[in-house]
Amino acid sequence: MNRTADGFEPSQTESGPHSPVFEYDRNYDDETMSLQREIEKQISESQDLISPSQPLEELVEEYAKEDQVFRQKLADLGTRFTHIRKVRGDGNCFFRGFGFAYLETLLSDDAELARFKEIATKSKEELVALGFPQFTIEDFHETFMEVLGHAEKKCSVQELEQTFNDQGISDYFVVYLRLMVSGHLQKESEFYTNFIEGGRTVKEFCNQEVEPMGKESDHIHIIALSTALQVGVLVEYMDRAGDACNHHVFPEGGRPVVNLLYRPGHYDILYNMQ
């Protein structure tokens, strides 16, 4: 069969509707990764932002059926929790999961709701005092307070689910939580600068890792949020180390109000409904 001077058959070098061309300067690995990310994005967007609660055993069917390590971790988790509520894995799962789970507790705790409403009401002026432009945060704060108002009016859990599954409302709520965390980090920058790597200032860290939507959360985000809002958060860590889940309460010594499950890169909400 005839070949060109560089050794390829004509069907590999000539253009045409049925003649794929190998391009030397084309990065096929990057294209494959890009396609994979797009597929993952499509799968993610087909899921609810906040799912209905379901038995913890659903996780076994989802991904741990053939994995002995995770089956052991789930068995351990099952001694403390009975149900899970899944959160869409879009980089905002910590903030969205926390927000929903906390507001869910406020439906039956008037005193805590009043305390938190006061914090939320004052937060806008505090952010403005820190240098956040008022016209930028106004709409986010207004939506945040409207969602809090639903809890104050004793909406049902199903109505709260609907609110958090409204992309626009839910994202605005998450944005404002991120802004509150950023404000707390900057206000207490002398303390938090010790936890930031890469020679960045606290403000640079906030601009790059806290305020933008889709940025995943780490310990520093959890510490700052739980401290700023004075809300205890228990995180159960389900990784591949050991036979049982490790857990930690934020802030240190706090009383957990929200329970979250952390699997590498993702947070869901945990419940004990016994």
Side-chain angles (χ1 to χ4, degrees), residues 50-54 83-86 96-110 112-113 116 147-148 150-152 154-161 164 173 257-260 269-273:
I50 295 285
S51 81
S53 70
Q54 53 194 268
H83 287 70
I84 186 170
R85 189 186 295 275
K86 296 177 184 176
R96 204 181 312 273
F98 169 87
F100 180 89
Y102 181 50
L103 261 64
E104 192 175 9
T105 69
L106 297 184
L107 294 175
S108 57
D109 191 335
D110 292 341
E112 177 67 6
L113 190 148
F116 181 65
V147 174
L148 188 55
H150 294 330
E152 192 172 27
K154 304 302 179 188
C155 68
S156 67
V157 173
Q158 291 73 25
E159 288 171 331
L160 193 62
E161 283 180 19
F164 270 79
F173 189 91
V257 174
V258 171
N259 302 308
L260 300 176
I269 306 168
L270 288 170
Y271 298 90
N272 186 341
M273 295 185 176

Side-chain angles (χ1 to χ4, degrees), residues 45-75:
E45 291 177 349
S46 69
Q47 300 172 343
D48 289 337
L49 291 170
I50 295 285
S51 81
S53 70
Q54 53 194 268
L56 191 63
E57 289 80 6
E58 292 289 330
L59 287 185
V60 178
E61 295 298 323
E62 179 183 337
Y63 78 101
K65 199 170 184 179
E66 305 300 327
D67 192 311
Q68 181 63 27
V69 172
F70 282 118
R71 285 205 305 274
Q72 290 176 334
K73 294 289 184 80
L74 283 170

Side-chain angles (χ1 to χ4, degrees), residues 102-232:
Y102 181 50
L103 261 64
E104 192 175 9
T105 69
L106 297 184
L107 294 175
S108 57
D109 191 335
D110 292 341
E112 177 67 6
L113 190 148
R115 184 195 70 83
F116 181 65
K117 184 179 180 181
E118 184 177 0
I119 291 175
T121 300
K122 293 178 178 178
S123 63
K124 183 178 73 172
E125 295 307 319
E126 291 174 352
L127 290 172
V128 171
L130 286 168
F132 289 83
Q134 183 164 346
F135 70 90
T136 300
I137 64 175
E138 189 79 46
D139 287 346
F140 298 116
H141 181 258
E142 183 178 342
T143 299
F144 191 88
M145 297 305 296
E146 286 177 359
V147 174
L148 188 55
H150 294 330
E152 192 172 27
K153 293 175 182 176
K154 304 302 179 188
C155 68
S156 67
V157 173
Q158 291 73 25
E159 288 171 331
L160 193 62
E161 283 180 19
Q162 292 173 2
T163 297
F164 270 79
N165 277 304
D166 182 308
Q167 184 87 51
I169 296 174
S170 193
D171 282 355
Y172 266 47
F173 189 91
V174 168
V175 166
Y176 198 74
L177 277 180
R178 286 181 174 276
L179 291 174
M180 293 175 78
V181 168
S182 177
H184 175 77
L185 288 169
Q186 293 181 56
K187 185 178 178 181
E188 305 294 335
S189 59
E190 187 175 345
F191 172 75
Y192 286 106
T193 190
N194 300 307
F195 300 94
I196 296 173
E197 300 176 348
R200 290 178 290 183
T201 66
V202 170
K203 185 171 181 58
E204 288 172 338
F205 176 81
C206 289
N207 290 341
Q208 297 166 9
E209 306 294 340
V210 179
E211 295 167 17
M213 289 289 280
K215 283 291 187 176
E216 294 183 0
S217 302
D218 207 342
H219 275 63
I220 190 170
H221 300 75
I222 308 174
I223 294 170
L225 181 63
S226 60
T227 303
L229 304 186
Q230 302 167 41
V231 177

Side-chain angles (χ1 to χ4, degrees), residues 1-55:
M1 182 177 291
N2 294 332
R3 295 178 182 271
T4 62
D6 59 8
F8 284 94
E9 298 172 5
S11 62
Q12 293 175 293
T13 58
E14 297 173 3
S15 61
H18 304 294
S19 304
V21 178
F22 183 88
E23 302 171 34
Y24 287 101
D25 60 351
R26 186 172 171 183
N27 192 324
Y28 287 89
D29 286 342
D30 282 354
E31 289 188 19
T32 300
M33 291 299 294
S34 178
L35 178 60
Q36 182 177 341
R37 285 193 292 269
E38 182 61 29
I39 292 172
E40 290 172 350
K41 181 173 181 288
Q42 291 174 2
I43 293 173
S44 171
E45 291 177 349
S46 69
Q47 300 172 343
D48 289 337
L49 291 170
I50 295 285
S51 81
S53 70
Q54 53 194 268

